[in-house]
Amino acid sequence: MNTTKLLRETASQTAGPYVHIGLAPNQAGFDIFEKNFGNVLVTPETKGERIRIEGTVYDGSGTPVRDVLIECWQANADGAYNHPADRQAGKSVDPSFRGWGRACSDFDTGIYSFETIKPGVVEGRKGRPMAPHIALWIVARGINLGLHTRLYFSDEAEANARDPVLNLIEWEVRRKTLIAQRETRDGQVVYRFDIRLQGDGETVFFDI
Amino acid sequence: MTHAAAPGDEFMMRDTTSHPPAYSPPYKTSILRSPRNALISLQQSLTEVTAPVFRPEELGPLDNDLIMNASKDGLPIGERVIVHGYVRDQYGRPVKNALVEVWQANASGRYRHKKDQYIGALDPNFGGCGRMLTDANGYYAYRTIRPGPYPWRNRVNDWRPAHIHYAISGDGWVQRLITQMYFEGDPLIWSCPILGIVPSEEQIRGLIAMQDTSAFVPLDSRAYRFDIILRGHRATLFENFVQGAKA
């Protein structure tokens, strides 16, 4: 008997054009659940610097992908994940921050956004610190297996230069596709993060 | 033998032959929406082995009952079915407290979505979405109306088999999965471009729910069984945790 034979992961399939029905029914045009999962990760109690993430996803022709759904997963301001596997010493969980959100692009403009906080530094493998980052997962019609990427911050140049994941990207010229650009708009901090699925300036995607 | 999974353990590498490739020309939309560069493989860190935790009180009492959760003045029209099964990892261990979200068309093959223009009739008493958390055994169940097939603009006469979309969130970000479930015996399964790009017949069969007569409710509902396998924690014998800090 071969005890090392594993079950195979269930095959992925595209989320399709109507993904909003299941994951964001308000966007599909109807109201059904009492509590909806959305793109606002913060409550008034959440600790940390408020930021807005905003951008557009483009296909290989440069056309905005208007039916995309993006989820984010991030640590709190202290650099701790709200999950039992996070055992980093000296960091505390913020009970008012789950660290996860879900955004849809606007059907007309193609713009998506998250209202969140800037994450702290998380310890990486072998104790090496990772620069502040947010994990993103992108699904849509035409995407057969959800695409994973990371968002880093333009005002963390020093930490980014030492980040073990960015440094794994052999083509230095591609690293900048993962850096969101900081701007201030009416007193609000906004990080612009466009995602290019294919072609010139193609965003780096990870097999995690 | 494998050791018991501990939170913080790494997950098995993804077997890319289990999934359709990003660039799959028979499914036309994938042509411009697939990266041209190879994915960059990462050894997992805390970011990848953790994931959001959901609580039962965030869900409503009818969230897993698609027959009733959008009913306005009566029952939706169509075949009453229960869909149930287990979410497990690649070692067969139950995935507890996983968020399972489903969405689908109605009995006509029409979606309640402002972008769906198909002539098939909307049903005023059917919404088409539901969600639930798996229990301690990884078990989930919901009831619904069996969806109809529908036409789509790929080739001019392409029709999707009857299907229900699934999104599953498990213990780790790497387990995040979106897929579709089909119904045993549907002849459209074997001509669908979206299924045809799955690389093996074994993996296609893994997406087909089997009629489960043992779970029929007499004079009320038929039932289908659909199990889902997510990536498993890897046995890390000499390096226990991916982060430097110890338990």
Side-chain angles (χ1 to χ4, degrees):
Chain A
M1 196 176 82
N2 181 1
T3 55
T4 60
K5 179 147 174 78
L6 295 172
L7 299 170
R8 291 185 73 168
E9 187 186 9
T10 299
S12 174
Q13 295 254 273
T14 178
Y18 307 127
V19 60
H20 320 91
I21 295 175
L23 305 190
N26 290 334
Q27 173 106 353
F30 69 108
D31 191 24
I32 182 161
F33 298 133
E34 226 169 88
K35 292 181 187 165
N36 287 288
F37 300 125
N39 65 340
V40 179
L41 285 74
V42 291
T43 68
E45 291 78 43
T46 306
K47 298 183 198 78
E49 181 192 8
R50 265 51 178 175
I51 62 169
R52 177 182 173 86
I53 311 278
E54 191 181 281
T56 304
V57 181
Y58 296 98
D59 73 12
S61 76
T63 305
V65 178
R66 296 184 174 88
D67 52 11
V68 73
L69 183 134
I70 303 180
E71 289 185 354
C72 69
W73 172 238
Q74 66 167 97
N76 66 22
D78 220 7
Y81 284 103
N82 195 342
H83 184 276
D86 190 335
R87 297 184 197 76
Q88 294 176 92
K91 294 183 181 180
S92 54
V93 166
D94 178 349
S96 60
F97 190 68
R98 176 168 23 212
W100 173 82
R102 173 182 282 170
C104 304
S105 58
D106 183 273
F107 289 142
D108 299 319
T109 64
I111 294 173
Y112 76 91
S113 66
F114 290 102
E115 303 293 338
T116 185
I117 49 119
K118 194 169 170 190
V121 169
V122 175
E123 197 170 335
R125 297 178 68 88
K126 305 196 191 319
R128 288 178 66 188
M130 295 188 284
H133 65 279
I134 297 179
L136 299 176
W137 182 68
I138 300 144
V139 295
R141 175 172 66 105
I143 296 178
N144 293 321
L145 178 64
L147 292 167
H148 286 284
T149 190
R150 282 185 176 200
L151 177 158
Y152 288 83
F153 299 89
S154 61
D155 54 328
E156 298 283 349
E158 220 172 286
N160 291 343
R162 286 194 306 267
D163 181 80
V165 170
L166 286 172
N167 278 299
L168 198 65
I169 304 167
E170 170 187 350
W171 307 272
E172 217 173 313
V173 61
R174 300 197 67 205
R175 294 177 194 165
K176 62 173 184 282
T177 67
L178 303 186
I179 314 291
Q181 294 304 315
R182 182 182 174 113
E183 52 189 80
T184 308
R185 197 188 300 159
D186 306 327
Q188 190 187 22
V189 176
V190 179
Y191 286 92
R192 177 91 195 174
F193 191 67
D194 291 336
I195 295 165
R196 289 178 175 77
L197 296 179
Q198 183 188 96
D200 287 345
E202 183 175 301
T203 300
V204 169
F205 298 107
F206 296 110
D207 169 32
I208 64 173
Chain B
M1 275 309 294
T2 59
H3 73 155
D9 278 353
E10 287 176 65
F11 288 84
M12 296 294 299
M13 184 173 85
R14 178 166 258 156
D15 179 352
T16 51
T17 68
S18 294
H19 303 284
Y23 178 71
S24 301
Y27 175 28
K28 296 180 182 181
T29 314
S30 76
I31 294 175
L32 281 176
R33 293 186 172 194
S34 46
R36 283 294 166 270
N37 286 285
L39 301 181
I40 293 181
S41 297
L42 283 192
Q43 282 190 289
Q44 293 155 18
S45 71
L46 261 185
T47 304
E48 287 78 33
V49 302
T50 55
V53 177
F54 299 94
R55 299 180 309 276
E57 60 270 24
E58 294 181 86
L59 308 186
L62 290 178
D63 282 6
N64 70 339
D65 185 354
L66 284 73
I67 291 181
M68 296 307 294
N69 69 11
S71 157
K72 297 231 166 11
D73 52 13
L75 294 169
I77 290 170
E79 294 178 46
R80 297 165 63 87
V81 294
I82 291 164
V83 183
H84 70 147
Y86 291 85
V87 181
R88 291 175 293 159
D89 74 10
Q90 292 174 284
Y91 290 100
R93 301 182 186 110
V95 182
K96 304 165 192 168
N97 203 51
L99 178 69
V100 178
E101 298 171 285
V102 295
W103 69 100
Q104 62 166 96
N106 68 20
S108 303
R110 175 75 182 271
Y111 283 97
R112 186 168 289 280
H113 189 289
K114 52 182 145 187
K115 298 284 179 192
D116 189 0
Q117 303 293 317
Y118 177 42
I119 191 172
L122 275 174
D123 184 332
N125 292 308
F126 190 72
C129 62
R131 54 191 190 177
M132 63 224 92
L133 294 171
T134 56
D135 71 12
N137 298 313
Y139 182 74
Y140 75 93
Y142 61 97
R143 70 173 183 168
T144 189
I145 296 296
R146 180 173 156 141
Y150 65 87
W152 61 299
R153 289 176 192 279
N154 189 56
R155 292 171 300 179
V156 76
N157 199 19
D158 274 329
W159 290 72
R160 297 304 320 284
H163 63 276
I164 298 178
H165 295 266
Y166 275 69
I168 306 107
S169 178
D171 302 321
W173 191 240
V174 305
Q175 292 179 312
R176 199 79 179 86
L177 185 71
I178 275 195
T179 189
Q180 303 179 29
M181 179 204 100
Y182 303 86
F183 294 85
E184 180 187 4
D186 187 338
L188 289 168
I189 287 173
W190 304 104
S191 60
C192 175
I194 285 182
L195 267 165
I197 60 178
V198 174
S200 67
E201 186 180 324
E202 177 198 356
Q203 284 299 88
I204 292 174
R205 292 199 182 278
L207 299 178
I208 302 173
M210 306 302 273
Q211 179 173 268
D212 183 0
T213 51
S214 69
F216 281 18
V217 180
L219 308 177
D220 184 320
S221 301
R222 290 190 304 132
Y224 282 87
R225 167 76 182 262
F226 184 59
D227 292 345
I228 294 160
I229 309 297
L230 301 181
R231 286 164 67 187
H233 287 278
R234 193 164 77 84
T236 45
L237 299 175
F238 293 101
E239 185 193 10
N240 277 329
F241 299 103
V242 297
Q243 76 251 48
K246 290 290 173 258

